[in-house]
Structure formats: C-alpha cells, structure tokens
Amino acid sequence: MTRLARRPGRVSLAGILTAALLATPLFASTTTALATPQADPAPSLIPKPVSQTALTGQTFNLTSSSAINVATDAAESQAAGKVAEQFAARLRVSTGYPLAILPGAATIKLSTNGPASLGAEGYQLRADSTALSVTAATPEGLYRGLTTVRQLLPAKSEASTQQAGPWTVAGTTIDDSPRYAYRGTMLDVSRHFFSVAEVKRYIDLAALYKLNKLHLHLSDDQGWRIQVDSWPRLTTYGGSLEVGGTPGGFYSKADFAELVRYAGERYLQVIPEIDTPGHTNAALASYAQLNCNNVAPPLYTGTDVGFSSLCVAKPVTYTFLDDVFREVAQQTPGDIVHLGGDEAHSTPHSDYLTFVPKASALVTKQNKRVMGWQEIAETTLPANSIAQYWGTDDTRSRDLARKAAAQGAKVVLSPANRAYLDMKYNSSTPYGLSWAGYVSIQKSYSWNPSTLIPNLPATAVAGVEAPIWSETLDNLDKLEYMAFPRLPGIAELGWSPSSALDWTTYKTRLGAQGSRWDTLSINFYRAPEITWR
C-alpha cells in the first residue's frame, strides 16, 4: 500500500491493528469484558434470525477438551476448513483452549451437507448439553452460522487476551437465511484515504452483522485511490492529497488484491466504484487531455460537489475509461463494477444521456454487471443492471428507482435520510453532515425496504446498503462513531424478515451489543435512548 503520510488518530489502535491483523484471521480487541457466569437465556442476536427456539434446561459448555469436526464434500473442503479455522483461531486467543479441528467425534460439529433449500447463506444451528452444531449447504452458509455462534458466546470471547471461563451457550435451535441477497456498506476512501489495515478493520465489523457487499468509492474529486498501470498519474498525482490538503494515498494492485482476499474470506464481495462522468477532478488534474480545453485543473481538497465532468465528446475519454474499467475489472473477481453517475451537474443533460450507455458498454465488455447511482435510470440500461437509490423521499428520486425497475434493473436502497451513516445523529454530533437531515438510530432502523418507495415492485429490490462518506471523517475513531450503532440496524433490515422489524424489541437487543463493542474497542456513539448493557 502506498501511503504518503500518517494522520493523527488513535495511536494505540494503530499498533493493535497491525499486530492483531497479522496474528489472527479476524480483528480482535485488547479490551476485556466482565466474566459472564452463565449463558444468557435469551441471546440478543443482530440480525434477528428467521426462527429461534430456546431449549429449556440445556446449556452448551465449551471446554479445554472441545474439538471441531467439519463434514463436507471434497469440492468444498478447503473453503469449509478455512471457515472453521478462522472461528477456532479467534476463540483460541480468548479462551486459551486448543480447539483442534479433527476428524471423527467432536463437540462442535460443522457441516456443509445441509439441504439445498438453505440457499447460499442459510444455516441451521443447535446448541444443547451434548454439542453445538451448525449445518449449511455451502461454506458461506457455514460462515454465517458461526457468526451467530460468536454472538451466542459471551462478549469476552472477542478479546485479544486470554480470559477466564466459563464459556457457555444457552440451549437453542435456529433456522436462518437472509431476506435479501444484497446487504452492503459503502466506504468512501476518496475524500479521506483509509489504509489497508483500517479497511480490514471495517470489513471485520461489517462481517459480524452478516453484511456481504463492500462497496469501495475509489475515485472522486479529492483523490484517485486504485492503481491503473496504463494511466499511472491517476494515483501518483491524483491520489496525492485528500480533503483539507493533507497527504492522501492509494492502493497498489497488491494492496487491492489483499483487500479482495481478506473480504472474500469473510464472504464480502468487493464492489469497486469509479465515479463518472462527474466527481472526476482527480482524474482531470492528472491528465490534461481528459479536459475539453486540454487544461488540467489544480488538485481539489474541498468538499463541494457537481463542478467536474469528463469531456463526453472526446474519443480519449472512452479510451481512458476502457483502460480503467479493464484494469479494475481484472482486479475484481466479483461480478459488479459501479460507474457512479451521480451529481453530474456540470455535464449537459444531453451529454449525460450519451455518456452513460457508452460507459456501461465498457463495463459489460469486461463481463461485469453495471451498477450506478439512481441517475443512471434516465438512460437505457444494459441487462442485469443495478441502480442505487439515495433519495430522501423526494418525487424525482422515487421516479428514478421506478424507471430503473421498469427496465428490468434491480434497485439497492440507500436512502440518504435513513441509511447514510455520515449524517449527524442530532445537532450536537461532532462529525458528519446534515444535508439529508439528522438520522437518529431509530430513524435509521424504522423503515421497510419493500415498502419505502410506493409502486416499486418488491421483486425489484435487491437489498440495502449503508454508505459512509468521509468529508469529515479523517480517522478510524470518527468512522466507527458514525457507523455504530446504525450499521447493525441496516444489516438487520437486509437480513431479517419484515415481521422481525420492531424498534421496541430491537433497541433492547442493540443495547446488549454494548459489551461486545467495548471488548472490540469500537468507538461507538452511546446514544442516550439506548440502555447499554
């Protein structure tokens, strides 16, 4: 990773991050939680499972003699083994137990031989006095089930130092699968750059709540953050600064490959975004020929939007995009590339209508699905496209979502006045913005994706995404403060059935996450309306 300077931040956390990420497959914290003397009879899970039944009088005890067995077919053995090893490695740290992965009899039984009806991410879980078992149809489903096991265990199981037992799970059975296939979060690394280690930290926290998409906003007016060999000044010059004029940075191809690998092991698909035709000042400053007047503007370190545009009429624009989308697609094993398309206020409307189909064709040329912000629905979209709704209940935004669906596109819901994690909680929030209004925890949680946009077919909704823009967020502390506690709520909207979405019961379950977040050293906003446990 190329990093041009260190910024002030949580100095102790930086050291902890480096050591923990190298030492264990998942991030763990140095904070120690109080010992839990017995299993919680009603574990406060987020997202809420589809079905959960308590087994009265049953408790699973994890002990020093506990071992793990993985039953899987040959084709999935390596992936399932990695899932089991990640889980065991985390618990070895906090419990001090060997937790060997062995063939034959074991007290923790993992299987990918479950029924196909479970789908890619569904699982069945049982904890009783004899064993703890997780059954899925795929290694991904197994991973989701073990994510639930993590929440069933005491919060101190997340610690990065050995803790005292007992380690118990209240007797329970769970049948679970997601409501939506798309459950994501977007991280803006363009306005402020976040290192590989910092993004890994965010991946770990997102994975804990069963999110499965990581949308990286990799280019904007303030910085270009992904290496493109055919246009090297995009990063060496265009990525040199960030908001406020402090040194920026970028991901080398090796860095990006590491993020893709790390996210993939936690079953998050990386979706790269190259924002076009607006939000392009970093590219325009890097290469004069991309400008209609062949004059490169200076680098930009402010926070205004809508002033930049690629030159739609110039052939070099499409040579540039062809190269960029090709190299970005080659670095991305997932099936989606996001081409932006939002706030192109400096692009004449007729040019915009010409540009998006041309840019889309360059994405589909790489055998990737086109994804873009809601404005792309004004144009003709290729098959299997995804439009990302970021409206605030306004008529135009809702119309664009319906236009996308009418073309056969799927819609991912990211309403700015509910799902934008960079919006202030209230007037006293020290970071963030408020152009979409204040977004309390209750407001962020209290909406139903299937009914948010009137007359949008429920079948058109692909899922939800919680973006976090970084105009005011220049370190990990601030990022976590704005993401938590709202990110788990968006995750639940994407995973749990609509019948489970109830603010009164949710806020109780949310409060129970506090001790886990303390153990993980998450710098979360301790909202006064939540009783933190």
Side-chain angles (χ1 to χ4, degrees):
M1 182 274 297
T2 300
R3 179 69 177 155
L4 301 177
R6 288 177 63 91
R7 72 168 56 83
R10 189 178 353 180
V11 177
S12 60
L13 177 58
I16 293 168
L17 272 170
T18 302
L21 289 168
L22 289 174
T24 64
L26 291 171
F27 180 86
S29 159
T30 56
T31 304
T32 302
L34 294 175
T36 302
Q38 59 186 11
D40 186 342
S44 299
L45 299 175
I46 296 177
K48 188 175 182 180
V50 171
S51 173
Q52 180 175 10
T53 302
L55 299 178
T56 305
Q58 299 280 313
T59 299
F60 172 76
N61 290 283
L62 184 72
T63 69
S64 59
S65 61
S66 295
I68 300 171
N69 171 256
V70 185
T72 185
D73 61 32
E76 296 177 333
S77 61
Q78 184 175 7
K82 284 184 177 180
V83 170
E85 179 57 33
Q86 278 190 50
F87 175 74
R90 170 177 288 279
L91 291 182
R92 287 173 191 141
V93 173
S94 55
T95 65
Y97 299 159
L99 294 177
I101 300 174
L102 301 171
T107 53
I108 300 177
K109 302 174 182 180
L110 310 179
S111 172
T112 60
N113 296 323
S117 59
L118 288 171
E121 296 185 272
Y123 65 92
Q124 297 168 332
L125 185 153
R126 180 182 177 90
D128 58 32
S129 58
T130 62
L132 187 152
S133 65
V134 179
T135 301
T138 68
E140 182 175 7
L142 189 63
Y143 184 87
R144 303 297 176 215
L146 287 173
T147 299
T148 297
V149 173
R150 286 177 60 186
Q151 288 195 39
L152 292 173
L153 284 163
K156 62 185 176 179
S157 65
E158 307 287 353
S160 64
T161 56
Q162 187 171 332
Q163 307 293 304
W167 303 99
T168 56
V169 173
T172 189
T173 61
I174 293 174
D175 283 274
D176 203 11
S177 58
R179 180 183 185 188
Y180 292 112
Y182 190 113
R183 306 177 312 281
T185 184
M186 188 219 76
L187 178 59
D188 173 15
V189 297
S190 294
R191 291 184 173 89
H192 280 104
F193 181 69
F194 289 88
S195 69
V196 170
E198 290 169 325
V199 177
K200 284 182 174 181
R201 160 75 162 179
Y202 195 65
I203 288 169
D204 283 337
L205 299 182
L208 181 59
Y209 295 96
K210 299 185 174 70
L211 294 176
N212 67 351
K213 311 291 182 187
L214 176 67
H215 170 183
L216 290 176
H217 186 75
L218 293 164
S219 69
D220 212 301
D221 293 315
Q222 297 84 356
W224 188 286
R225 307 302 183 198
I226 186 168
Q227 181 180 348
V228 178
D229 290 339
S230 53
W231 298 77
R233 275 175 58 84
L234 290 173
T235 47
T236 58
Y237 183 69
S240 61
L241 297 177
E242 60 184 11
V243 166
T246 46
F250 65 92
Y251 306 118
S252 68
K253 288 194 170 181
D255 293 332
F256 196 74
E258 175 60 13
L259 288 177
V260 168
R261 180 202 67 79
Y262 193 86
E265 287 190 350
R266 287 142 186 83
Y267 292 92
L268 273 81
Q269 175 188 353
V270 173
I271 298 173
E273 180 187 351
I274 303 299
D275 207 347
T276 62
H279 292 276
T280 47
N281 192 80
L284 299 173
S286 301
Y287 288 97
Q289 65 265 42
L290 297 178
N291 297 269
C292 289
N293 62 2
N294 292 314
V295 176
L299 293 172
Y300 181 71
T301 59
T303 58
D304 288 340
V305 299
F307 63 88
S308 62
S309 178
L310 292 171
C311 191
V312 173
K314 294 182 77 170
V316 69
T317 295
Y318 305 99
T319 301
F320 165 73
L321 289 176
D322 195 22
D323 289 337
V324 169
F325 288 142
R326 183 187 70 255
E327 292 196 37
V328 170
Q330 288 171 349
Q331 297 179 67
T332 308
D335 65 340
I336 301 170
V337 169
H338 199 301
L339 54 72
D342 63 314
E343 298 177 320
H345 306 319
S346 295
T347 308
H349 188 61
S350 59
D351 282 358
Y352 184 86
L353 297 180
T354 298
F355 173 85
V356 173
K358 285 187 173 183
S360 296
L362 297 175
V363 171
T364 59
K365 177 182 175 181
Q366 303 303 325
N367 296 314
K368 302 294 186 183
R369 297 175 67 185
V370 169
M371 186 170 182
W373 298 102
Q374 62 191 24
E375 289 91 330
I376 68 169
E378 294 185 305
T379 73
T380 301
L381 300 176
N384 301 314
S385 294
I386 303 170
Q388 187 166 1
Y389 172 87
W390 60 278
T392 57
D393 303 332
D394 57 292
T395 299
R396 180 174 181 271
S397 295
R398 289 176 167 183
D399 283 345
L400 288 170
R402 289 186 284 260
K403 282 182 179 181
Q407 296 190 58
K410 294 294 186 180
V411 179
V412 168
L413 298 174
S414 301
N417 58 340
R418 293 175 173 86
Y420 271 29
L421 302 178
D422 55 296
M423 291 297 108
K424 291 176 178 285
Y425 294 99
N426 52 48
S427 60
S428 62
T429 306
Y431 325 117
L433 304 173
S434 58
W435 61 263
Y438 300 128
V439 181
S440 67
I441 301 168
Q442 182 174 359
K443 185 176 183 181
S444 182
Y445 178 80
S446 299
W447 58 283
N448 189 331
S450 66
T451 59
L452 178 71
I453 301 175
N455 300 318
L456 178 69
T459 54
V461 178
V464 297
E465 182 179 290
I468 186 161
W469 301 96
S470 65
E471 287 96 333
T472 68
L473 310 178
D474 59 358
N475 63 49
L476 198 56
D477 262 353
K478 296 175 183 177
L479 186 76
E480 292 180 1
Y481 185 86
M482 300 304 286
F484 285 84
R486 291 179 294 193
L487 182 62
I490 301 298
E492 176 154 303
L493 293 181
W495 180 280
S496 302
S498 59
S499 60
L501 307 181
D502 174 73
W503 167 249
T504 301
T505 58
Y506 173 74
K507 69 179 182 180
T508 300
R509 288 184 286 117
L510 183 64
Q513 296 287 313
S515 59
R516 192 168 304 275
W517 295 350
D518 282 337
T519 305
L520 287 166
S521 289
I522 298 175
N523 183 43
F524 68 97
Y525 167 56
R526 297 174 189 269
E529 67 267 30
I530 305 297
T531 302
W532 298 104
R533 196 172 78 184

PDB file of all heavy atoms in Angstrom, residues 390-405:
ATOM      1  N   TRP A 390     -30.536   6.757  -3.637  1.00  0.00           N
ATOM      2  CA  TRP A 390     -30.009   7.500  -2.492  1.00  0.00           C
ATOM      3  C   TRP A 390     -30.900   8.692  -2.139  1.00  0.00           C
ATOM      4  O   TRP A 390     -30.482   9.618  -1.446  1.00  0.00           O
ATOM      5  CB  TRP A 390     -28.574   7.958  -2.754  1.00  0.00           C
ATOM      6  CG  TRP A 390     -28.379   8.874  -3.957  1.00  0.00           C
ATOM      7  CD1 TRP A 390     -28.270   8.503  -5.258  1.00  0.00           C
ATOM      8  CD2 TRP A 390     -28.238  10.301  -3.924  1.00  0.00           C
ATOM      9  NE1 TRP A 390     -28.080   9.614  -6.062  1.00  0.00           N
ATOM     10  CE2 TRP A 390     -28.052  10.729  -5.268  1.00  0.00           C
ATOM     11  CE3 TRP A 390     -28.245  11.251  -2.908  1.00  0.00           C
ATOM     12  CZ2 TRP A 390     -27.880  12.067  -5.617  1.00  0.00           C
ATOM     13  CZ3 TRP A 390     -28.073  12.590  -3.256  1.00  0.00           C
ATOM     14  CH2 TRP A 390     -27.888  12.989  -4.597  1.00  0.00           C
ATOM     15  N   GLY A 391     -32.153   8.632  -2.591  1.00  0.00           N
ATOM     16  CA  GLY A 391     -33.072   9.739  -2.388  1.00  0.00           C
ATOM     17  C   GLY A 391     -33.496   9.943  -0.947  1.00  0.00           C
ATOM     18  O   GLY A 391     -33.179   9.153  -0.048  1.00  0.00           O
ATOM     19  N   THR A 392     -34.236  11.026  -0.749  1.00  0.00           N
ATOM     20  CA  THR A 392     -34.727  11.389   0.587  1.00  0.00           C
ATOM     21  C   THR A 392     -36.251  11.505   0.565  1.00  0.00           C
ATOM     22  O   THR A 392     -36.814  12.476   1.052  1.00  0.00           O
ATOM     23  CB  THR A 392     -34.102  12.709   1.061  1.00  0.00           C
ATOM     24  OG1 THR A 392     -34.397  13.730   0.081  1.00  0.00           O
ATOM     25  CG2 THR A 392     -32.601  12.594   1.225  1.00  0.00           C
ATOM     26  N   ASP A 393     -36.894  10.553  -0.047  1.00  0.00           N
ATOM     27  CA  ASP A 393     -38.344  10.512  -0.198  1.00  0.00           C
ATOM     28  C   ASP A 393     -38.862  11.525  -1.216  1.00  0.00           C
ATOM     29  O   ASP A 393     -40.074  11.743  -1.312  1.00  0.00           O
ATOM     30  CB  ASP A 393     -39.074  10.733   1.143  1.00  0.00           C
ATOM     31  CG  ASP A 393     -38.669   9.716   2.197  1.00  0.00           C
ATOM     32  OD1 ASP A 393     -38.283   8.602   1.809  1.00  0.00           O
ATOM     33  OD2 ASP A 393     -38.749  10.042   3.400  1.00  0.00           O
ATOM     34  N   ASP A 394     -37.976  12.144  -1.987  1.00  0.00           N
ATOM     35  CA  ASP A 394     -38.395  13.122  -2.980  1.00  0.00           C
ATOM     36  C   ASP A 394     -38.966  12.418  -4.212  1.00  0.00           C
ATOM     37  O   ASP A 394     -38.600  11.282  -4.545  1.00  0.00           O
ATOM     38  CB  ASP A 394     -37.231  14.026  -3.367  1.00  0.00           C
ATOM     39  CG  ASP A 394     -36.043  13.256  -3.900  1.00  0.00           C
ATOM     40  OD1 ASP A 394     -35.405  12.529  -3.106  1.00  0.00           O
ATOM     41  OD2 ASP A 394     -35.764  13.344  -5.108  1.00  0.00           O
ATOM     42  N   THR A 395     -39.814  13.103  -4.911  1.00  0.00           N
ATOM     43  CA  THR A 395     -40.521  12.523  -6.059  1.00  0.00           C
ATOM     44  C   THR A 395     -39.560  12.108  -7.163  1.00  0.00           C
ATOM     45  O   THR A 395     -39.700  11.018  -7.747  1.00  0.00           O
ATOM     46  CB  THR A 395     -41.544  13.535  -6.608  1.00  0.00           C
ATOM     47  OG1 THR A 395     -42.492  13.839  -5.590  1.00  0.00           O
ATOM     48  CG2 THR A 395     -42.276  12.956  -7.814  1.00  0.00           C
ATOM     49  N   ARG A 396     -38.577  12.961  -7.474  1.00  0.00           N
ATOM     50  CA  ARG A 396     -37.670  12.639  -8.581  1.00  0.00           C
ATOM     51  C   ARG A 396     -36.891  11.366  -8.302  1.00  0.00           C
ATOM     52  O   ARG A 396     -36.753  10.499  -9.174  1.00  0.00           O
ATOM     53  CB  ARG A 396     -36.695  13.791  -8.837  1.00  0.00           C
ATOM     54  CG  ARG A 396     -35.721  13.500  -9.987  1.00  0.00           C
ATOM     55  CD  ARG A 396     -34.857  14.699 -10.314  1.00  0.00           C
ATOM     56  NE  ARG A 396     -33.957  14.394 -11.416  1.00  0.00           N
ATOM     57  CZ  ARG A 396     -32.740  13.869 -11.266  1.00  0.00           C
ATOM     58  NH1 ARG A 396     -32.289  13.573 -10.044  1.00  0.00           N
ATOM     59  NH2 ARG A 396     -31.978  13.617 -12.321  1.00  0.00           N
ATOM     60  N   SER A 397     -36.363  11.220  -7.102  1.00  0.00           N
ATOM     61  CA  SER A 397     -35.578  10.027  -6.771  1.00  0.00           C
ATOM     62  C   SER A 397     -36.431   8.769  -6.848  1.00  0.00           C
ATOM     63  O   SER A 397     -35.989   7.737  -7.357  1.00  0.00           O
ATOM     64  CB  SER A 397     -34.984  10.170  -5.371  1.00  0.00           C
ATOM     65  OG  SER A 397     -34.046  11.226  -5.320  1.00  0.00           O
ATOM     66  N   ARG A 398     -37.644   8.854  -6.339  1.00  0.00           N
ATOM     67  CA  ARG A 398     -38.538   7.697  -6.392  1.00  0.00           C
ATOM     68  C   ARG A 398     -38.869   7.336  -7.843  1.00  0.00           C
ATOM     69  O   ARG A 398     -38.930   6.158  -8.211  1.00  0.00           O
ATOM     70  CB  ARG A 398     -39.809   7.982  -5.602  1.00  0.00           C
ATOM     71  CG  ARG A 398     -39.580   8.018  -4.100  1.00  0.00           C
ATOM     72  CD  ARG A 398     -40.849   8.398  -3.358  1.00  0.00           C
ATOM     73  NE  ARG A 398     -40.733   8.153  -1.924  1.00  0.00           N
ATOM     74  CZ  ARG A 398     -41.718   8.337  -1.044  1.00  0.00           C
ATOM     75  NH1 ARG A 398     -42.894   8.771  -1.461  1.00  0.00           N
ATOM     76  NH2 ARG A 398     -41.526   8.097   0.233  1.00  0.00           N
ATOM     77  N   ASP A 399     -39.076   8.354  -8.671  1.00  0.00           N
ATOM     78  CA  ASP A 399     -39.352   8.105 -10.085  1.00  0.00           C
ATOM     79  C   ASP A 399     -38.175   7.395 -10.754  1.00  0.00           C
ATOM     80  O   ASP A 399     -38.369   6.493 -11.579  1.00  0.00           O
ATOM     81  CB  ASP A 399     -39.634   9.418 -10.813  1.00  0.00           C
ATOM     82  CG  ASP A 399     -41.037   9.960 -10.542  1.00  0.00           C
ATOM     83  OD1 ASP A 399     -41.880   9.183 -10.037  1.00  0.00           O
ATOM     84  OD2 ASP A 399     -41.270  11.149 -10.827  1.00  0.00           O
ATOM     85  N   LEU A 400     -36.968   7.794 -10.411  1.00  0.00           N
ATOM     86  CA  LEU A 400     -35.789   7.163 -10.998  1.00  0.00           C
ATOM     87  C   LEU A 400     -35.690   5.690 -10.594  1.00  0.00           C
ATOM     88  O   LEU A 400     -35.325   4.836 -11.401  1.00  0.00           O
ATOM     89  CB  LEU A 400     -34.524   7.914 -10.584  1.00  0.00           C
ATOM     90  CG  LEU A 400     -34.334   9.287 -11.237  1.00  0.00           C
ATOM     91  CD1 LEU A 400     -33.180  10.037 -10.580  1.00  0.00           C
ATOM     92  CD2 LEU A 400     -34.094   9.142 -12.734  1.00  0.00           C
ATOM     93  N   ALA A 401     -36.010   5.393  -9.333  1.00  0.00           N
ATOM     94  CA  ALA A 401     -35.992   3.989  -8.902  1.00  0.00           C
ATOM     95  C   ALA A 401     -37.005   3.177  -9.691  1.00  0.00           C
ATOM     96  O   ALA A 401     -36.722   2.050 -10.127  1.00  0.00           O
ATOM     97  CB  ALA A 401     -36.284   3.906  -7.406  1.00  0.00           C
ATOM     98  N   ARG A 402     -38.195   3.746  -9.894  1.00  0.00           N
ATOM     99  CA  ARG A 402     -39.222   3.033 -10.659  1.00  0.00           C
ATOM    100  C   ARG A 402     -38.822   2.900 -12.129  1.00  0.00           C
ATOM    101  O   ARG A 402     -39.114   1.886 -12.774  1.00  0.00           O
ATOM    102  CB  ARG A 402     -40.566   3.733 -10.497  1.00  0.00           C
ATOM    103  CG  ARG A 402     -41.168   3.567  -9.086  1.00  0.00           C
ATOM    104  CD  ARG A 402     -42.561   4.135  -9.003  1.00  0.00           C
ATOM    105  NE  ARG A 402     -42.552   5.586  -8.949  1.00  0.00           N
ATOM    106  CZ  ARG A 402     -42.695   6.306  -7.820  1.00  0.00           C
ATOM    107  NH1 ARG A 402     -42.851   5.691  -6.647  1.00  0.00           N
ATOM    108  NH2 ARG A 402     -42.697   7.619  -7.857  1.00  0.00           N
ATOM    109  N   LYS A 403     -38.149   3.914 -12.681  1.00  0.00           N
ATOM    110  CA  LYS A 403     -37.675   3.834 -14.065  1.00  0.00           C
ATOM    111  C   LYS A 403     -36.644   2.716 -14.226  1.00  0.00           C
ATOM    112  O   LYS A 403     -36.640   1.999 -15.234  1.00  0.00           O
ATOM    113  CB  LYS A 403     -37.050   5.170 -14.493  1.00  0.00           C
ATOM    114  CG  LYS A 403     -38.053   6.251 -14.851  1.00  0.00           C
ATOM    115  CD  LYS A 403     -37.340   7.516 -15.319  1.00  0.00           C
ATOM    116  CE  LYS A 403     -38.329   8.607 -15.697  1.00  0.00           C
ATOM    117  NZ  LYS A 403     -37.626   9.831 -16.170  1.00  0.00           N
ATOM    118  N   ALA A 404     -35.782   2.583 -13.243  1.00  0.00           N
ATOM    119  CA  ALA A 404     -34.793   1.504 -13.287  1.00  0.00           C
ATOM    120  C   ALA A 404     -35.488   0.151 -13.284  1.00  0.00           C
ATOM    121  O   ALA A 404     -35.170  -0.739 -14.084  1.00  0.00           O
ATOM    122  CB  ALA A 404     -33.838   1.621 -12.106  1.00  0.00           C
ATOM    123  N   ALA A 405     -36.443  -0.011 -12.384  1.00  0.00           N
ATOM    124  CA  ALA A 405     -37.158  -1.286 -12.287  1.00  0.00           C
ATOM    125  C   ALA A 405     -37.927  -1.584 -13.564  1.00  0.00           C
ATOM    126  O   ALA A 405     -38.027  -2.740 -13.995  1.00  0.00           O
ATOM    127  CB  ALA A 405     -38.099  -1.257 -11.094  1.00  0.00           C
TER     128      ALA A 405
END
